[in-house]
Amino acid sequence: AVADIAALKGNDSLRNAIDKIWENMVSKKLYVQGGIGAKADGERFGENYELPNANAYNETCAAIANVYWNQRMFLLHGESKYIDVLEKSLYNGLISGVGLDGKSFFYTNAMEIRSSSSGGISNGFTNGKVEASRSGWFECSCCPTNLARFLPSISGYMYAQKQDSLYINLFANSNAAFNIHHQEVNISQINNYPWDGNLVFNINPIKETAFSILIRIPGWARNEAVPSDLYNYSDKAEGKVSIKINGSSTSYQIKNGYVTLKRKWKKGDSITVDLPMEIKKVVCNNNVKDNIDKVALQRGPLMYCAEWADNNGSTSNIVLPDSTKFTSEFKSELLNGVTVIQSVIPKMVSGNSATVSTDKQPFVAIPYYAWANRGKGEMQVWFPSIIKN
């Protein structure tokens, strides 16, 4: 609402205030999967860098609000960093709030689930609340109803238009129509995003028309985990973004996160953008004490987690050393079809001595949004990168 009023009224003091609040959120209070709101008490942000994993709150409604907020910030400023945060929340900490069956939900979205000493499964809440399984309803049922109204609106976040400039912000198979210079312009997207980074945009104006198309190049494709120093990639991407118009490579510059393609567009024109879908290791600002010497995994816009069902019954003893090499594979039969990340890793084995030993075992990570659809068990997003005795 503050961003809206700042835009509509041209109020600089409100603009400065909402900019400072956003900067604080994205640099000190944003979870790696786009969730916000660390504290269950009061359903609120914690202190700066207070991002606990064991008792993360991350209400689904807050993730939806994060999308609303960043969309308004984009409309206010026209910069892609706001859509980068929107996309992170949308593809990860928001849709994790609804099960793959479409009728079971999370009120809060955990960052880890560990086995308790009593043999049960807990995410660390002191009130004993268990988030390893989804609910069909809640006594205070804001999250299911909020998801039900939000998900059909996603198409409204894909594009934006300012005079003769057309912004393409999100990527999904779709058809859309716009009025530019009093001419109808139809655009269709063909892609398999987020599993594949090859994006095709077919441009079909009713008649030849000059205008600008601004395509967002996601931060993750530009070696930027988030638009702050809260998260970074420990290994820089080797692949480059390529852009072709009608099959011919074109040079480009990126400004405010967008490539601007300005020309007279005619029916049958096409743009191809190839985003490198490399597996990246995410590391956290050391001010977040819970994540020191830990790593998370990302591929494209998706954050990943390990779940008990794929990792020999447990995840809390997994270690991902810096030297770990990963591969990806699409598994159509798993969780309605997902790309998994795989490796062979050391897994800590407890013994009777004071030292910790390790065994090699296969490792599988699934997209975070798809966890808790196969029963109760351990789950983890952040993994130690160092074996400590």
Side-chain angles (χ1 to χ4, degrees), residues 48 95 147 179 208 222 279:
N48 289 342
I95 57 171
L147 279 164
N179 188 306
E208 187 174 287
R222 296 182 280 108
I279 299 167

Side-chain angles (χ1 to χ4, degrees), residues 76-314:
L76 181 61
H77 292 292
E79 297 181 37
S80 75
K81 63 183 181 181
Y82 304 108
I83 304 299
D84 287 343
V85 177
L86 183 158
E87 182 184 64
K88 177 175 282 290
S89 182
L90 174 61
Y91 276 91
N92 300 287
L94 190 159
I95 57 171
S96 59
V98 59
L100 296 181
D101 60 4
K103 56 184 180 182
S104 57
F105 303 90
F106 278 155
Y107 200 100
T108 65
N109 296 271
M111 294 298 290
E112 67 179 36
I113 300 290
R114 295 183 177 233
S115 298
S116 67
S117 58
S118 61
I121 302 295
S122 173
N123 69 345
F125 278 122
T126 56
N127 62 6
K129 186 175 182 179
V130 174
E131 288 297 336
S133 60
R134 299 174 181 272
S135 299
W137 201 248
F138 301 99
E139 182 178 345
C140 175
S141 193
C142 60
C143 295
T145 51
N146 214 354
L147 279 164
R149 72 169 182 160
F150 171 77
L151 292 176
S153 75
I154 289 175
S155 60
Y157 299 91
M158 293 178 63
Y159 295 92
Q161 184 178 347
K162 183 177 182 180
Q163 299 171 349
D164 64 349
S165 293
L166 182 64
Y167 293 77
I168 304 178
N169 283 331
L170 298 179
F171 314 123
N173 283 339
S174 58
N175 296 288
F178 305 89
N179 188 306
I180 302 175
H181 296 313
H182 307 291
Q183 302 293 332
E184 183 176 316
V185 177
N186 294 286
I187 295 183
S188 64
Q189 292 194 34
I190 302 172
N191 58 60
N192 190 31
Y193 194 83
W195 313 119
D196 190 313
N198 185 258
L199 313 173
V200 177
F201 307 92
N202 293 317
I203 317 300
N204 287 297
I206 295 300
K207 68 177 186 179
E208 187 174 287
T209 307
F211 61 96
S212 297
I213 295 177
L214 287 80
I215 301 175
R216 181 177 68 97
I217 305 301
W220 59 260
R222 296 182 280 108
N223 286 315
E224 183 180 86
V226 292
S228 74
D229 66 353
L230 185 56
Y231 303 106
N232 287 287
Y233 298 129
S234 63
D235 43 354
K236 298 301 182 183
E238 297 179 358
K240 301 295 183 183
V241 176
S242 71
I243 299 177
K244 296 180 180 179
I245 298 177
N246 297 331
S248 298
S249 296
T250 183
S251 59
Y252 62 86
Q253 292 183 330
I254 297 176
K255 182 179 180 181
N256 292 331
Y258 291 93
V259 166
T260 300
L261 304 175
K262 184 175 184 178
R263 55 180 277 155
K264 284 188 175 181
W265 299 96
K266 62 183 185 301
K267 194 168 185 177
D269 281 344
S270 68
I271 305 167
T272 301
V273 177
D274 195 17
L275 305 175
M277 302 292 281
E278 298 165 316
I279 299 167
K280 297 179 180 179
K281 300 173 187 174
V282 183
V283 293
C284 192
N285 189 305
N286 280 337
N287 285 308
V288 182
K289 303 305 181 186
D290 283 36
N291 294 334
I292 293 176
D293 294 329
K294 290 183 179 180
V295 63
L297 298 176
Q298 181 173 356
R299 182 180 182 273
L302 298 181
M303 296 306 305
Y304 278 70
C305 68
E307 218 180 3
W308 60 279
D310 310 300
N311 293 280
N312 201 27
S314 64

Side-chain angles (χ1 to χ4, degrees), residues 292-294 319-322 348 383-389:
I292 293 176
D293 294 329
K294 290 183 179 180
V319 182
L320 299 182
D322 292 341
M348 291 183 288
F383 305 94
S385 58
I386 299 173
I387 298 173
K388 297 180 179 180
N389 290 331

Side-chain angles (χ1 to χ4, degrees), residues 24-99:
N24 179 260
M25 180 274 291
V26 82
S27 64
K28 297 176 177 65
K29 295 175 180 174
L30 177 71
Y31 275 93
V32 73
Q33 39 67 290
I36 56 174
K39 307 287 283 187
D41 175 20
E43 298 185 322
R44 59 187 172 88
F45 290 115
E47 298 298 321
N48 289 342
Y49 301 110
E50 185 180 359
L51 295 167
N53 295 317
N55 59 347
Y57 190 63
N58 283 337
E59 185 188 8
T60 297
C61 286
I64 294 173
N66 204 21
V67 168
Y68 293 155
W69 182 16
N70 279 280
Q71 172 71 356
R72 300 317 201 279
M73 295 297 285
F74 160 73
L75 294 174
L76 181 61
H77 292 292
E79 297 181 37
S80 75
K81 63 183 181 181
Y82 304 108
I83 304 299
D84 287 343
V85 177
L86 183 158
E87 182 184 64
K88 177 175 282 290
S89 182
L90 174 61
Y91 276 91
N92 300 287
L94 190 159
I95 57 171
S96 59
V98 59

